[in-house]
């Protein structure tokens, strides 16, 4: 399989494994969609790490040979599938973290942009959206998610030039949320995911959903969504535990309920 899901305790891993560069075609995206569904359905999994089996490539984007072999309808079917699965990630009340240790280019970077967080390893690899050099645009959400993440001008600079940046520059731009030493990236990403999984996961999930559902709405609508979320959480065992633990000056023991 080019994409596989596996649970390791309360953390799930979606692993990209299509040598040499994890370049994707429609079959790859179908497997990726199935892996996201599996991560969603596994109630034991509280946080998800998206990673590559390759240290050289996170993902080099779409398979150019597949584009050439297809007509426009065939290419658009793959793009629509990609849009569907990547959009679904924002509706799942579990945090998805992209663990990037190798080149993340074009659609590969766009896959990571659909995750909630992106953690990178220091190294000599590149990140970017070079589709303009093929006479195309970043078509797997890049024009929208990158601009929302780092601002319109910075995103346009990367997209219209096709310029590729180092992990350090990507961190400075805000594409990477955290940047770790190369030999620590996997361990520290896992430690972050473990901390989320052991935390108030009902609250974490509601925070994610309220943020995505409200951030592009008028403020009054966003605040209404926030109120609905906190009202829901007041009814949870975790909220009662958290409030009680604070009053009793002890560490809370959350169960996700």
């Amino acid at each position: 399989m080019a994409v596989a899901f596996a649970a390791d305790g309360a953390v799930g891993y979606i692993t990209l494994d299509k040598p040499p560069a994890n370049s994707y075609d429609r079959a790859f995206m179908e497997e990726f969609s199935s892996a996201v569904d599996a991560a969603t359905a596994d109630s034991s999994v509280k946080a998800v790490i998206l990673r590559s089996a390759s240290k050289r490539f996170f993902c080099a984007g779409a398979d150019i040979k597949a584009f050439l072999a297809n007509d426009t309808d065939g290419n658009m079917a793959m793009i629509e599938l990609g849009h569907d699965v990547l959009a679904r990630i924002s509706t799942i009340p579990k945090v998805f973290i992209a663990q990037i240790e190798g080149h993340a280019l074009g659609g590969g970077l766009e896959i990571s942009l659909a995750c909630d967080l992106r953690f990178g390893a220091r190294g000599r690899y590149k990140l970017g959206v070079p589709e303009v050099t093929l006479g195309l645009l970043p078509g797997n959400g890049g024009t929208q998610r990158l601009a929302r993440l780092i601002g319109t001008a910075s995103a346009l600079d990367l997209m219209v030039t096709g310029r590729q940046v180092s992990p350090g520059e990507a961190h400075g731009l805000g594409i990477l949320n955290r940047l770790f030493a190369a030999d620590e990236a996997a361990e520290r990403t896992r430690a972050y995911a473990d901390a989320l999984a052991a935390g108030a996961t009902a609250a974490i999930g509601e925070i994610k959903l309220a943020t995505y559902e409200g951030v592009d709405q008028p403020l009054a609508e966003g605040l209404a969504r926030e109120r609905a979320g906190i009202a829901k959480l007041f009814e949870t065992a975790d909220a009662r535990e958290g409030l009680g633990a604070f009053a009793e000056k002890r560490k809370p023991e959350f169960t996700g309920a």
Side-chain angles (χ1 to χ4, degrees):
M1 293 183 67
V3 185
F5 166 76
D8 183 8
V11 174
Y13 284 97
I14 295 176
T15 304
L16 311 181
D17 189 9
K18 185 187 177 188
N22 290 329
S23 298
Y24 61 80
D25 53 15
R26 179 162 184 166
F28 181 106
M29 292 307 298
E30 288 171 347
E31 290 187 9
F32 183 73
S33 180
S34 295
V36 170
D37 287 343
T40 305
D42 191 331
S43 60
S44 71
V45 167
K46 307 301 182 183
V48 181
I49 296 172
L50 172 61
R51 64 182 180 180
S52 172
S54 166
K55 292 295 184 181
R56 186 178 178 196
F57 284 93
F58 174 76
C59 176
D63 185 337
I64 303 305
K65 292 181 180 179
F67 273 155
L68 288 170
N70 292 333
D71 59 15
T72 298
D73 288 344
N75 286 330
M76 288 308 301
M78 183 184 74
I79 288 171
E80 287 165 7
L81 174 62
H83 273 228
D84 174 71
V85 61
L86 295 181
R88 255 190 355 262
I89 290 173
S90 68
T91 70
I92 300 165
K94 303 177 184 185
V95 173
F96 280 63
I97 306 168
Q99 177 184 310
I100 302 173
E101 301 179 79
H103 298 296
L105 300 171
L109 182 61
E110 290 172 291
I111 288 172
S112 78
L113 293 175
C115 292
D116 305 302
L117 300 168
R118 285 151 299 282
F119 294 174
R122 297 188 184 277
R124 300 182 66 181
Y125 62 92
K126 297 293 185 179
L127 303 93
V129 276
E131 286 91 340
V132 71
T133 65
L134 303 173
L136 298 171
L137 59 72
N140 218 358
T143 65
Q144 302 306 304
R145 292 192 179 92
L146 188 60
R148 284 166 168 76
L149 182 66
I150 67 172
T152 302
S154 292
L156 276 173
D157 173 50
L158 294 182
M159 291 188 289
V160 302
T161 64
R163 184 169 66 89
Q164 300 173 23
V165 300
S166 68
E169 186 174 355
H171 184 234
L173 285 167
I175 296 172
L176 295 177
N177 302 99
R178 302 202 178 193
L179 187 60
F180 303 127
D183 60 351
E184 296 179 356
E187 179 182 356
R188 294 188 66 178
T189 301
R190 175 60 191 251
Y192 187 101
D194 280 336
L196 292 183
T201 54
I204 290 168
E206 194 63 30
I207 288 167
K208 171 180 170 174
L209 297 184
T211 299
Y212 284 134
E213 292 171 12
V215 71
D216 291 324
Q217 301 299 319
L219 179 59
E221 292 182 24
L223 290 173
R225 175 62 182 84
E226 182 180 277
R227 291 193 298 275
I230 199 166
K232 179 179 177 181
L233 291 171
F234 273 132
E235 301 297 319
T236 65
D238 271 0
R240 290 191 291 274
E241 169 63 13
L243 293 169
F246 181 86
E248 297 164 13
K249 298 182 179 179
R250 60 176 175 83
K251 183 177 179 180
E253 296 183 6
F254 295 118
T255 64

